Amino acid sequence: MLVSTSIRINKELYEQARQDAVLEHRSISGQIEFWARVGRAALDNPDLPVSFVAESLASLAEPRELSTPFVPRSARQ
């Protein structure tokens, strides 16, 4: 069971999250959670570009049945 907790955040941050959530088809809380995961992963991996971290986390959230298997160019005919 998922447990939620209420927190207070700056109104400006909330508005940014609301705008980005619409663009990314997430809830506002989902957007803030995504930002938190990206930030934590970026801090844990300072040598990686933040865009790479964000795209990697987003791809991990996609359903596996919708993914396309990677096929190296050398194996393509």
Side-chain angles (χ1 to χ4, degrees):
M1 185 170 132
L2 206 58
V3 178
S4 64
T5 302
S6 296
I7 62 168
R8 292 179 187 257
I9 62 168
N10 177 293
K11 185 171 176 123
E12 184 179 326
L13 180 62
Y14 178 87
E15 286 302 318
Q16 290 172 344
R18 186 183 61 75
Q19 291 170 8
D20 284 6
V22 170
L23 297 174
E24 298 295 330
H25 305 287
R26 293 186 183 106
S27 65
I28 297 169
S29 62
Q31 184 64 41
I32 293 171
E33 289 171 4
F34 179 72
W35 284 345
R37 284 192 301 274
V38 169
R40 184 171 183 175
L43 289 172
D44 289 345
N45 300 281
D47 295 336
L48 296 176
V50 175
S51 60
F52 178 82
V53 171
E55 290 170 9
S56 296
L57 290 174
S59 70
L60 288 172
E62 293 179 1
R64 294 290 246 175
E65 60 272 4
L66 298 179
S67 65
T68 303
F70 173 75
V71 179
R73 288 184 186 176
S74 60
R76 296 178 194 164
Q77 301 273 341

